[in-house]
Amino acid sequence: MTNGTKSTVSARLAVDRFEIDEEQSHIVVDQELCRSTGTGRRIIAVCPAGVYSEKDGEILVDYAACLECGTCLAVATPGALTWTYPRGGFGVTFRQG
Ligand code: SF4
């Protein structure tokens, strides 16, 4: 910030722009593999945008908030998570300020 005040993570995220693909999620989880391998617990813990949550044993995915950082892929057991970049024109646009 230019006025000398510290910015928070949420304040920085608020300046980013998200074009949401209402028709297609770019993230799909295999519920059984997420549960049996511990992937669900790990992706909830590491995602900086809070995309993943758990309710009644199911992993919920708020893909619209994804920052496209790839961290969840790094901790997921192969096959438990299918992640691709959003289709052209969709996803996050980062801004400075
Ligand atoms: Fe979260 Fe990053 Fe994975 Fe998107 S790519 S769901 S922001 S960890």
Side-chain angles (χ1 to χ4, degrees), residues 26-27 43 46-52 65-73 83:
H26 66 287
I27 304 170
I43 60 179
V46 301
C47 177
V51 166
Y52 303 104
C66 179
L67 298 171
E68 302 171 29
C69 66
T71 308
C72 54
L73 277 179
W83 192 100

Side-chain angles (χ1 to χ4, degrees), residues 3-68:
N3 62 4
T5 60
K6 280 189 162 183
S7 64
T8 63
V9 171
S10 57
R12 285 175 173 253
L13 289 174
V15 299
D16 296 331
R17 203 179 79 228
F18 296 84
E19 291 296 330
I20 301 165
D21 187 344
E22 304 283 357
E23 297 177 9
Q24 179 177 313
S25 173
H26 66 287
I27 304 170
V28 178
V29 297
D30 180 313
Q31 296 290 342
E32 182 51 40
L33 264 181
C34 275
R35 199 174 6 261
S36 64
T37 64
T39 292
R41 180 177 34 82
R42 293 193 299 275
I43 60 179
I44 290 170
V46 301
C47 177
V51 166
Y52 303 104
S53 59
E54 186 271 334
K55 184 175 184 187
D56 300 328
E58 295 284 306
I59 301 298
L60 306 179
V61 182
D62 178 17
Y63 68 92
C66 179
L67 298 171
E68 302 171 29

